[in-house]
């Protein structure tokens, strides 16, 4: 690889916590690697690029991000190469850098140059390579994020920002097929809002209705449009796809629709399906169409796509108090084929003929 050019200062931890981790039992998002990457935006430019020991931030009580919500983030994963244990593979990180900047633009935040994102990520993973698990179903989850850093209670975009990358070894997000409830009372976002951006506030607003659904025995929600609650959009942790007979149906994302997050996993799945000759329709999905297809058996399967879940099969759909079970189909499921292919690429077992894999 070409030599990295940015001046990134590195301060190594005095004591690694790696030997305290049980990689056969990793809870999602609770264990963090030894180091983090930081950069500050002030005086109109990004500066002070550094890797330091993972630790707490010191925050002013008037921090703008706390009061007015200028906070965005990304999620991606690093995998141990099964063919070469010394190599780490990251899935489509440049796309995460681009999506971070799309979110930044919507939230009136400065864009981050791609080379800062990529070189900071590279050096951080290179330093903490030992934290990338090699146990079945595991990976190193990578969380880049940016927040407003002004200490000011006036309502305006901040003049200063902090960008950071932290990492966390994780296991499987959903170990079983998920039960989802079609949400028709609350809304995640609306036309003209921030639905297409990975904004912290989107997730805060989703927690209460998700909690109500979990009390009813569901794992997640299927969000519907805010205007009429007649069309399925996405789930809380993933985009969704439905196989109706021989066609995959999924809701459109930007630029056609601005209410749904443009999942990088979803984009990858759609490209693979095109290569395989599978018929795909990106269009509005009426709730009633999915209910009818479930009842008459034409819904062959439903599944979620996302970084955390990769591919998550859906087993049940709740609608207006009725629990609909998706019938099992004979033979190999399309979602299984997709998952095996994607994970094979991510772990170096399937040839990357797409240029999706970044190697460290």
């Amino acid at each position: 690889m070409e030599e990295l050019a940015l001046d990134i200062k590195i301060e190594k931890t005095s004591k690694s916590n790696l030997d305290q981790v049980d990689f056969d039992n990793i809870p999602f998002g609770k264990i963090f690697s030894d180091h983090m990457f930081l950069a500050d935006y002030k005086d109109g430019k990004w500066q002070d690029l550094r890797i330091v020991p993972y630790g707490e931030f010191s925050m002013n009580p008037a921090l703008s991000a706390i009061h007015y919500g200028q906070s965005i983030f990304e999620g991606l994963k690093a995998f141990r190469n099964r063919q070469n244990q010394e190599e780490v593979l990251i899935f489509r990180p440049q796309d995460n850098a681009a999506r971070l900047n799309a979110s930044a633009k919507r939230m009136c935040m400065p864009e981050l140059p791609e080379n800062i994102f990529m070189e900071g990520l590279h050096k951080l993973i290179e330093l903490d390579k030992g934290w990338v698990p090699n146990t079945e179903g595991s990976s190193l989850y990578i969380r880049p994020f940016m927040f407003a850093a002004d200490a000011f209670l006036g309502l305006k975009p901040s003049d200063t920002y902090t960008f950071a990358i932290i990492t966390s070894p994780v296991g499987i997000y959903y170990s079983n097929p998920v039960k989802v409830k079609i949400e028709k009372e609350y809304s995640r976002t609306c036309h003209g809002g921030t639905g297409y951006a990975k904004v912290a506030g989107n997730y805060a607003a989703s927690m209460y209705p998700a909690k109500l659904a979990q009390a009813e025995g569901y794992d997640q929600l299927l969000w519907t449009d805010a205007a009429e609650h007649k069309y399925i959009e996405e789930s809380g942790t993933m985009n969704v796809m439905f196989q109706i007979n021989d066609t995959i149906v999924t809701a459109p994302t930007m630029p056609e629709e601005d209410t749904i997050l443009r999942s990088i996993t979803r984009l990858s799945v759609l490209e693979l399906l095109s290569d395989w000759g599978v018929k795909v329709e990106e269009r509005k999905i009426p709730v009633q169409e999915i209910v009818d297809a479930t009842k008459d058996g034409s819904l062959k399967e439903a599944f979620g796509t996302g970084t955390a879940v990769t591919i998550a099969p859906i087993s049940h759909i709740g609608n207006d108090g009725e629990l609909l079970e998706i019938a099992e189909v004979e033979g190999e499921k399309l979602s299984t084929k997709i998952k095996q292919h994607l994970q094979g690429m991510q772990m170096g077992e399937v040839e990357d003929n797409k240029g999706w894999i970044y190697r460290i």
Side-chain angles (χ1 to χ4, degrees), residues 140-165:
L140 185 72
Y141 184 78
I142 302 167
R143 170 55 61 87
F145 60 102
M146 186 194 304
F147 61 90
D150 276 6
F152 178 63
L153 295 182
L155 180 56
K156 74 172 189 65
S158 180
D159 292 321
T160 60
Y161 296 86
T162 295
F163 172 75
I165 304 175

Side-chain angles (χ1 to χ4, degrees), residues 37-50 57 110 112 116 147 149 160-164:
F37 173 78
L38 298 172
D40 297 322
Y41 183 86
K42 55 186 177 181
D43 300 325
K45 63 181 180 180
W46 288 100
Q47 52 192 284
D48 195 13
L49 314 183
R50 61 205 186 275
F57 289 136
L112 182 81
I116 293 180
F147 61 90
T160 60
Y161 296 86
T162 295
F163 172 75

Side-chain angles (χ1 to χ4, degrees), residues 227-350:
E228 300 178 282
H229 296 296
K230 288 184 178 180
Y231 299 96
I232 290 173
E233 295 196 330
E234 66 175 327
S235 185
T237 53
M238 52 196 182
N239 290 152
V240 288
M241 296 187 178
F242 302 92
Q243 183 184 357
I244 301 176
N245 293 319
D246 63 349
T247 302
I248 291 292
V249 181
T250 188
T253 60
M254 287 285 280
E256 293 87 355
E257 296 289 340
D258 65 356
T259 58
I260 302 172
L261 183 69
R262 199 162 190 251
S263 162
I264 293 163
T265 306
R266 173 188 177 277
L267 293 174
S268 305
V269 170
L270 291 178
E271 191 168 331
L272 290 177
L273 292 175
S274 176
D275 291 347
W276 297 343
V278 178
K279 185 178 178 182
V280 175
E281 294 178 359
E282 293 184 74
R283 59 171 173 82
K284 286 188 173 183
I285 307 171
V287 170
Q288 194 59 48
E289 178 182 3
I290 298 304
V291 171
D292 292 343
T294 305
K295 291 182 176 180
D296 67 23
S298 58
L299 181 64
K300 304 306 180 184
E301 63 173 322
F303 55 93
T305 66
T307 295
V309 303
T310 309
I311 304 295
I314 295 170
S315 61
H316 295 78
I317 299 175
N319 179 59
D320 294 336
E322 182 180 15
L323 183 62
L324 305 171
E325 183 175 2
I326 301 174
E328 288 286 330
V329 296
E330 295 183 3
E332 183 186 36
K333 291 184 176 182
L334 183 57
S335 62
T336 302
K337 180 182 177 181
I338 295 167
K339 184 174 184 176
Q340 290 175 345
H341 191 92
L342 278 177
Q343 290 187 335
M345 290 180 71
Q346 291 168 339
M347 297 176 183
E349 296 175 319
V350 172

Side-chain angles (χ1 to χ4, degrees), residues 108-141:
C108 213
M109 304 168 79
E111 293 187 19
L112 182 81
E114 184 184 282
N115 66 328
I116 293 180
F117 185 102
M118 292 301 301
E119 295 185 19
L121 173 64
H122 186 105
K123 286 196 171 182
L124 179 64
I125 301 303
E126 195 172 49
L127 184 60
D128 280 348
K129 188 179 287 189
W131 285 84
V132 182
N134 59 8
T135 50
E136 187 65 32
S138 62
S139 60
L140 185 72
Y141 184 78

